[in-house]
Amino acid sequence: MSTDGDFFEGEGVEEARVKFRRQPRPIPADARVGYKVAQATLVLHTFNRNAATLENLHLFSWALGTPKRRQMLLSWWSGNRYANTVTQKLDPYLPVALNIGVMRGVMRITTGAKNRIHLEPSGVLMAQEIEHDHDLFAAEKNFLRQFGRLSDASVSRQLARS
């Protein structure tokens, strides 16, 4: 058996010593459920009637992830893209946030021809409070303001979706 306590090939499991070391593993902000719920309410509040298709919510949530993505969406919005550019994007952390948001009564999902996500009154209140705090989500709010009031139809027209 080794003296430093590490497990080496040829040693039996019963002879191995297990060491645990505390290692910081910070969770990125965009993977935190509370952050994503707040971000989703902010995006939905930008749309008419505080509601958007799941596809558009994913797109804008994805774009808010990095400055490069924000610039990319702005470029697409202004028509600077190849004809075969895929403007449908998925935010991998959004589904969990939506589930929590629905469970907490912040938003609701309707089904039909298109799945739409709607802010409930508590979600509207949350979005308004975020809007009133100048330091909270500052980059995201500045980005979303560049689009004005959004609608699912305007996003489809602007991104030339059928």
Side-chain angles (χ1 to χ4, degrees):
M1 184 192 268
S2 67
T3 57
D4 64 1
D6 291 337
F7 181 75
F8 290 100
E9 196 172 318
E11 290 183 340
V13 173
E14 66 279 353
E15 298 171 6
R17 292 186 186 182
V18 177
K19 277 189 192 177
F20 292 97
R21 284 177 271 170
R22 188 177 293 261
Q23 294 182 341
R25 302 218 188 249
I27 298 171
D30 61 348
R32 296 177 185 166
V33 175
Y35 173 87
K36 290 308 289 186
V37 170
Q39 184 187 66
T41 62
L42 191 59
V43 170
L44 290 170
H45 193 62
T46 305
F47 277 79
N48 286 338
R49 298 184 184 147
N50 298 309
T53 62
L54 183 57
E55 177 183 6
N56 288 334
L57 182 55
H58 265 287
L59 174 66
F60 280 87
S61 294
W62 168 85
L64 289 173
T66 66
K68 183 178 179 181
R69 290 180 192 167
R70 290 192 288 270
Q71 188 57 46
M72 192 180 302
L73 182 55
L74 284 170
S75 180
W76 294 345
W77 195 262
S78 64
N80 298 324
R81 65 184 178 281
Y82 295 108
N84 63 349
T85 301
V86 176
T87 58
Q88 292 175 321
K89 299 293 180 183
L90 293 177
D91 179 343
Y93 301 112
L94 185 60
V96 173
L98 291 178
N99 285 334
I100 299 298
V102 168
M103 287 173 36
R104 293 292 185 183
V106 175
M107 53 191 80
R108 66 185 159 85
I109 301 172
T110 58
T111 57
K114 290 189 175 186
N115 291 337
R116 292 179 53 82
I117 316 302
H118 303 259
L119 283 182
E120 293 288 18
S122 62
V124 172
L125 182 61
M126 178 189 284
Q128 289 171 341
E129 288 178 3
I130 293 169
E131 286 288 345
H132 285 79
D133 187 329
H134 299 293
D135 296 327
L136 194 59
F137 287 94
E140 291 88 342
K141 290 186 291 192
N142 287 333
F143 171 72
L144 291 170
R145 284 184 192 118
Q146 295 179 64
F147 297 94
R149 196 74 177 155
L150 291 167
S151 69
D152 291 324
S154 69
V155 173
S156 292
R157 276 191 310 272
Q158 210 58 38
L159 299 179
R161 293 183 183 159
S162 53

